[in-house]
Amino acid sequence: MTKSTTRVLVVDDHVHAREAIREILSIDEHFEIIGMVNNGQEAIDFMEKWLPDLILMDIQMPIMDGLEATRRIKLVFPYVKIVVITVSDDMIHLLEALKRGAQGYLLKNLEPTTWLEYLHSIINEEAPMSRDVAYQILKEVNVTEKKKTEVKLTTRELDILYGVAEGWTNKEIAGKYDISEYTVKNHLKNILQKLQLQNRVQLTRYALEQGLVWNTNRL
């Protein structure tokens, strides 16, 4: 195992689904499956012992579902990356997973290449978040008082934030503003640190909540 290998835990109560995921990840040597378990409680137990880098989490499972397991795991291990895997694009489940700390979601019927590309973007913290999804999250958050942030972002940082909120990848942001992807990543780290946020989902929600960008399809 090299330093760049991502250690993966697969959580799904269907053996055929677990084996299908194993086949997909076996295509890419960057990913190493270190465990496969049947439900959320087993995922928590495994996490405490083996500390995987990435968890692929089904939603509907017995004993403990993926949503509750995601919430509990992120409370104790906030930096582990969790991607929800599901057979449908049910917005309610996806929103709940994201609000409980998941970094993203994948439909089980997507092509293997799409899976691998998306998981790489998750690992590299480049996965774009749909503005529609972020806006739906925002609508469900009870905000009693919306205040403009007192944190000062530079013009370039606002450019980067806008790109994230638009759902652009780091490569697309770099191309738009004629800067390197490395520079984009550094700006993102600075923005997250300034705003005390953890990921792109929170950044997108923040931008919408603060009125820094607008969802013209819904407002």
Side-chain angles (χ1 to χ4, degrees), residues 17-32:
R18 295 197 301 268
E19 290 303 320
I21 294 171
R22 183 197 293 276
E23 289 185 14
I24 292 174
L25 297 192
S26 68
I27 300 172
D28 192 329
E29 63 182 9
H30 180 85
F31 298 102
E32 178 194 12

Side-chain angles (χ1 to χ4, degrees), residues 57 66-74 82 84 97 100-102:
M57 181 82 74
L67 297 177
E68 178 62 14
T70 295
R71 184 188 71 82
R72 295 191 186 189
I73 289 172
K74 295 296 282 191
I82 299 179
V84 169
R100 296 186 190 204

Side-chain angles (χ1 to χ4, degrees), residues 151-164 173 177 179 183-184 186-195 203 206 212:
V151 176
K152 298 298 183 182
L153 298 179
T154 67
T155 300
R156 179 58 78 205
E157 287 171 343
L158 288 171
D159 290 339
I160 302 298
L161 180 59
Y162 176 82
V164 170
I173 294 173
Y177 298 112
I179 55 180
T183 300
V184 173
N186 281 341
H187 278 306
L188 281 172
K189 288 179 181 178
N190 289 335
I191 295 169
L192 289 169
Q193 185 174 25
K194 281 185 178 182
L195 300 178
L203 272 181
Y206 170 86
L212 299 175

Side-chain angles (χ1 to χ4, degrees), residues 38-153:
N38 297 294
N39 58 66
Q41 183 58 59
E42 291 183 4
I44 292 172
D45 296 339
F46 188 96
M47 183 71 203
E48 292 175 347
K49 186 174 181 179
W50 297 102
L51 296 177
D53 306 306
L54 171 68
I55 301 177
L56 302 181
M57 181 82 74
D58 191 22
I59 293 179
Q60 301 288 353
M61 295 180 291
I63 301 178
M64 184 185 295
D65 65 26
L67 297 177
E68 178 62 14
T70 295
R71 184 188 71 82
R72 295 191 186 189
I73 289 172
K74 295 296 282 191
L75 282 175
V76 182
F77 306 99
Y79 298 110
V80 66
K81 292 179 170 59
I82 299 179
V83 174
V84 169
I85 51 176
T86 177
V87 295
S88 72
D89 56 353
D90 188 326
M91 182 65 76
I92 294 176
H93 283 155
L94 297 180
L95 291 176
E96 279 301 316
L98 293 171
K99 287 191 293 184
R100 296 186 190 204
Q103 271 64 47
Y105 55 89
L106 276 169
L107 299 180
K108 291 183 178 180
N109 61 356
L110 294 174
E111 292 295 322
T113 53
T114 302
W115 265 62
L116 295 173
E117 289 173 0
Y118 185 77
L119 291 178
H120 273 287
S121 69
I122 288 287
I123 294 301
N124 295 323
E125 299 182 350
E126 297 176 356
M129 172 55 55
S130 163
R131 289 187 69 195
D132 284 349
V133 172
Y135 188 72
Q136 288 295 330
I137 295 174
L138 173 62
K139 288 205 304 183
E140 295 190 12
V141 175
N142 293 322
V143 181
T144 57
E145 183 179 6
K146 292 184 180 180
K147 295 181 179 180
K148 291 293 183 179
T149 178
E150 295 180 358
V151 176
K152 298 298 183 182
L153 298 179

